[in-house]
Amino acid sequence: MPAYHSKYNEEECPVLGNIALLPLKTTVKGPAPRTDGEDIIDEMLMYFKANVFFKNYEIKGTADRLLIYLTLYATDCIVKLQKSSSKNQAVKDMYSLAIARFSLPGEAGFPLNAVYAKPQGNDIEKMRQYLTQCRQEVGLRMVEKVFGD
């Protein structure tokens, strides 16, 4: 069974480094355009269980790089959520994890530097803002998946 790839690889969109800047279904402030339909985070959550088991993953586009990043971040969220005793605590924990200092492609400590391009110039801060926005939205959706209503 092959790994699942992002359907957004075919879409024209801005690129930061070599990561797609895709629209998000979110109220979190940031540089991502808004959408009301399915987004890359929905796609990551849908394919998470299957994709997390693949040792090798052929990258077919800039959206796949974002899908990989979000999948890795979601695993960090799961580890953190295991220690959360309530939904309110989980929301706080996810927010803290999302805004904590993290490495960008090209920086020491970034996983998979070999397959990500280092952002240049103004893209550095925009990528940090975009990934922070993605991280916050992933955290919120993970809390809903784990704790529900």
Side-chain angles (χ1 to χ4, degrees):
M1 183 170 136
Y4 291 99
H5 294 277
S6 178
K7 68 181 180 185
Y8 301 103
N9 281 325
E10 306 302 320
E11 289 191 17
E12 287 290 321
C13 65
V15 176
L16 302 169
N18 60 356
I19 297 176
L21 192 155
L22 295 168
L24 298 176
K25 181 174 53 181
T26 185
T27 57
V28 176
K29 193 173 167 186
R34 302 295 190 267
T35 185
D36 292 328
E38 184 179 286
D39 65 6
I40 187 79
I41 297 172
D42 291 324
E43 190 175 52
M44 180 276 298
L45 291 170
M46 184 171 52
Y47 296 145
F48 179 82
K49 195 172 181 181
N51 279 349
V52 78
F53 288 112
F54 286 98
K55 187 173 158 182
N56 299 314
Y57 187 88
E58 178 188 358
I59 297 170
K60 294 190 175 182
T62 58
D64 275 350
R65 284 186 182 83
L66 182 57
L67 187 66
I68 292 166
Y69 180 85
L70 295 175
T71 301
L72 291 174
Y73 181 70
T75 60
D76 290 345
C77 290
I78 290 168
V79 169
K80 190 79 166 172
L81 284 169
Q82 288 176 338
K83 299 172 186 164
S84 300
S85 58
S86 68
K87 186 174 181 177
N88 285 340
Q89 184 61 46
V91 169
K92 291 175 187 174
D93 291 344
M94 290 298 94
Y95 180 75
S96 295
L97 184 62
I99 64 167
R101 179 84 175 140
F102 60 93
S103 299
L104 292 177
E107 295 176 349
F110 185 81
L112 305 172
N113 259 331
V115 294
Y116 289 86
K118 182 177 180 178
Q120 303 296 318
N122 293 338
D123 283 353
I124 296 170
E125 188 54 34
K126 192 169 185 180
M127 180 184 280
R128 186 169 305 283
Q129 292 170 354
Y130 180 62
L131 292 180
T132 299
Q133 184 182 19
C134 288
R135 290 162 62 105
Q136 287 178 288
E137 187 59 33
V138 167
L140 290 171
R141 294 193 204 177
M142 294 290 289
V143 168
E144 288 305 315
K145 289 275 187 196
V146 171
F147 288 92
D149 291 330

